[in-house]
Amino acid sequence: MYRWLWLSLVVIALDQISKQLIESSLLVYETVSILPYFNLTLAYNEGAAFSLLSDQAGWQRWFFALVAAVVVLVLVIWLSRLRRERLLAISLSLVIGGAVGNLLDRLLFGYVIDFLDFFYNSYHWPAFNVADIAISLGVALLFLDAFVGRQVKQAD
């Protein structure tokens, strides 16, 4: 099912293009209000999800890069072994694309470029990017496939 890797390439391209557009348009932590609950805000995340370990001395860059590379390798192998599992192939391709998008940032810059800032009153969700959306959607579809796929197989 390597044929689904085109979806990963689309995610990587959209992610990298959007990050470069934002980075060339905003200064770090500069905010552009878009909607009453949504801003564009350039932020650099040296940690993992929700800035986990971002306050460390720099070792986390290589640790998270290694973890991402291993995850991508495992998912590509898994994807290659699929036959007719379309939803699973789509979910894996989304996660692969998102992981590679953020991995490129980490390798090239030492941090991940985030810019989507949703908030309510003074509470801001941690900023994220297109790669994070693809990963989240891919994982959600993975869970959906696990439950729906199991029900379809039991019905056969």
Side-chain angles (χ1 to χ4, degrees):
M1 288 278 237
Y2 283 127
R3 65 187 174 125
W4 286 100
L5 286 177
W6 67 266
L7 183 56
S8 299
L9 294 175
V10 168
V11 168
I12 294 165
L14 290 173
D15 178 63
Q16 292 298 302
I17 290 168
S18 64
K19 288 173 179 175
Q20 293 311 307
L21 284 172
I22 291 296
E23 194 170 41
S24 67
S25 302
L26 298 176
L27 300 172
V28 179
Y29 301 117
E30 181 180 356
T31 297
V32 175
S33 180
I34 304 296
L35 295 170
Y37 53 87
F38 173 64
N39 295 328
L40 294 177
T41 303
L42 178 60
Y44 297 143
N45 181 358
E46 295 180 5
F50 307 110
S51 297
L52 178 70
L53 299 177
S54 63
D55 59 348
Q56 297 300 301
W59 62 267
Q60 74 276 19
R61 171 187 186 181
W62 303 111
F63 173 74
F64 291 133
L66 178 63
V67 168
V70 169
V71 166
V72 167
L73 179 63
V74 168
L75 294 181
V76 168
I77 291 169
W78 186 4
L79 183 65
S80 74
R81 296 180 179 176
L82 298 180
R83 295 295 167 249
R84 292 191 177 104
E85 298 94 341
R86 180 180 295 183
L87 184 58
L88 182 55
I90 291 169
S91 68
L92 294 177
S93 297
L94 287 168
V95 174
I96 290 167
V100 170
N102 283 339
L103 175 61
L104 287 172
D105 283 9
R106 205 170 293 288
L107 292 175
L108 294 172
F109 311 118
Y111 50 79
V112 174
I113 299 168
D114 290 324
F115 59 90
L116 300 170
D117 175 27
F118 285 89
F119 63 93
Y120 179 73
N121 291 331
S122 64
Y123 174 76
H124 288 256
W125 185 259
F128 57 99
N129 57 45
V130 173
D132 297 333
I133 294 170
I135 292 168
S136 298
L137 181 58
V139 169
L141 291 175
L142 193 62
F143 280 109
L144 179 66
D145 179 72
F147 293 114
V148 172
R150 182 178 298 160
Q151 290 175 352
V152 169
K153 288 176 187 173
Q154 288 176 352
D156 289 340

